[in-house]
């Protein structure tokens, strides 16, 4: 493992997923020690699925009282309930359905068979978040090869929406074209944001986001701290890091 400031590099995707899972469990346990409860914003993608599987298999997963954790999502594909491409479906199958969570504390974004448009889903989610966006104890993000986080893509109008916590996204360059996402201001309200990246395909975006800060991922500045948790392949273009 190497680290430079807010960037922590692990040998490969498996080690990365195991390390993130361990950090996550400790983060939530610490929050509960202080307040009696905790909140986390989940993300989707292959490396996130590995993290969730490691949480479920961790011998220390019981340090967290799962009945006192609020689960939110940073973005969602605007698809029908139960669709395998929905982040909610993936998280439930990977670990949520196998833990003693309180169903009332699981807050998925509305599916396309529940509301008519992504904008309506965004309004409903914003109402559920409340008048003031929670200072999430932990917000997880993946990063796309184009540098997007959540469903905030470079050049898409949703990236620059301000004054609301959740936005409907149309014309996504990745299918499906309709999505729902936390806005950048809502993302940055988190106490801690962790950007997780694995694979050489992410290396260019990781380098550009960290060096220039212009890509969506580079604009993530949580109120407490922002950390990049990546593997060696994703870090391969970071010239200032030595492995």
């Amino acid at each position: 493992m190497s680290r430079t400031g807010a960037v922590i590099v692990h040998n490969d995707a498996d080690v990365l997923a195991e390390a993130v899972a361990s950090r996550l469990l400790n983060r939530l346990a610490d929050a509960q020690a202080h307040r009696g409860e905790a909140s986390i914003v989940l993300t989707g993608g292959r490396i996130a699925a590995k993290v969730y599987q490691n949480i479920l298999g961790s011998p220390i997963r019981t340090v967290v009282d799962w009945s006192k954790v609020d689960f939110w999502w940073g973005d969602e594909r605007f698809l029908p309930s139960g669709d395998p491409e929905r982040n909610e479906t993936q998280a439930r199958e990977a670990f949520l359905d196998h833990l003693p969570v309180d169903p009332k504390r699981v807050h998925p974004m509305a599916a396309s068979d529940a509301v008519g448009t992504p904008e309506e889903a965004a309004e409903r989610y914003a109402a559920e978040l409340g008048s003031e966006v929670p200072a999430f104890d932990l917000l997880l993000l993946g990063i796309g090869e184009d540098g997007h986080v959540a469903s905030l893509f470079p050049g898409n109008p949703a990236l620059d929406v301000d004054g609301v916590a959740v936005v409907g996204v149309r014309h996504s360059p990745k299918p499906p074209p309709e999505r729902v996402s936390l806005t950048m201001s809502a993302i940055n309200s988190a106490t801690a944001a962790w950007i997780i990246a694995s694979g050489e395909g992410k290396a260019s975006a990781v380098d550009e986001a960290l060096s220039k800060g212009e890509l969506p991922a580079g604009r993530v500045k949580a109120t407490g701290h922002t950390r990049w948790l990546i593997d060696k392949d994703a870090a391969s273009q970071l010239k200032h890091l030595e492995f």
Side-chain angles (χ1 to χ4, degrees):
M1 180 179 72
S2 301
R3 71 172 70 213
T4 298
V7 182
I8 301 173
V9 183
H10 293 278
N11 282 337
D12 56 41
D14 289 337
V15 175
L16 170 64
E18 184 177 359
V20 173
S22 180
R23 286 175 175 273
L24 184 155
L25 289 167
N26 283 294
R27 177 82 186 172
L28 297 184
D30 286 346
Q32 289 184 339
H34 284 93
R35 299 199 327 276
E37 59 184 9
S39 60
I40 183 171
V41 178
L42 302 176
T43 187
R46 288 188 297 273
I47 190 62
K50 279 180 172 283
V51 170
Y52 301 152
Q53 290 161 6
N54 272 274
I55 291 171
L56 189 62
S58 173
I60 66 167
R61 70 178 184 275
T62 54
V63 301
V64 175
D65 182 346
W66 296 102
S67 69
K68 295 181 179 177
V69 178
D70 279 290
F71 297 92
W72 302 89
W73 272 264
D75 74 315
E76 188 55 275
R77 295 165 174 86
F78 192 61
L79 295 169
S81 301
D83 190 289
E85 292 300 311
R86 277 179 61 86
N87 292 333
E88 176 200 357
T89 305
Q90 294 170 11
R92 287 187 183 278
E93 291 179 351
F95 80 126
L96 288 181
D97 285 348
H98 309 284
L99 292 171
V101 302
D102 180 351
K104 294 179 181 178
R105 287 180 174 261
V106 179
H107 309 278
M109 292 178 169
S112 63
D113 54 348
V115 296
T117 67
E119 289 78 17
E120 188 177 349
E123 291 176 6
R124 182 177 293 191
Y125 210 59
E128 190 163 355
L129 284 166
S131 58
E132 188 171 332
V133 179
F136 306 110
D137 293 302
L138 179 59
L139 183 144
L140 301 176
L141 293 167
I143 177 174
E145 294 183 4
D146 59 358
H148 80 268
V149 289
S151 284
L152 303 178
F153 294 88
N156 191 288
L159 176 61
D160 296 311
V161 169
D162 200 7
V164 295
V166 193
V167 62
V169 179
R170 293 181 181 269
H171 310 298
S172 161
K174 288 185 63 177
E178 294 183 341
R179 297 165 174 244
V180 185
S181 181
L182 295 184
T183 59
M184 188 60 71
S185 60
I187 288 171
N188 286 336
S189 73
T191 304
W194 296 354
I195 301 173
I196 311 166
S198 172
E200 289 183 359
K202 306 294 178 71
S204 177
V206 168
D207 175 60
E208 186 174 348
L210 282 167
S211 61
K212 298 179 182 179
E214 296 171 358
L215 292 178
R219 292 168 58 174
V220 177
K221 307 291 181 186
T223 58
H225 71 257
T226 301
R227 287 214 176 99
W228 290 70
L229 305 171
I230 62 181
D231 66 10
K232 281 189 174 181
D233 286 340
S236 60
Q237 295 189 31
L238 295 178
K239 311 296 191 297
H240 62 287
L241 287 179
E242 296 181 2
F243 312 114

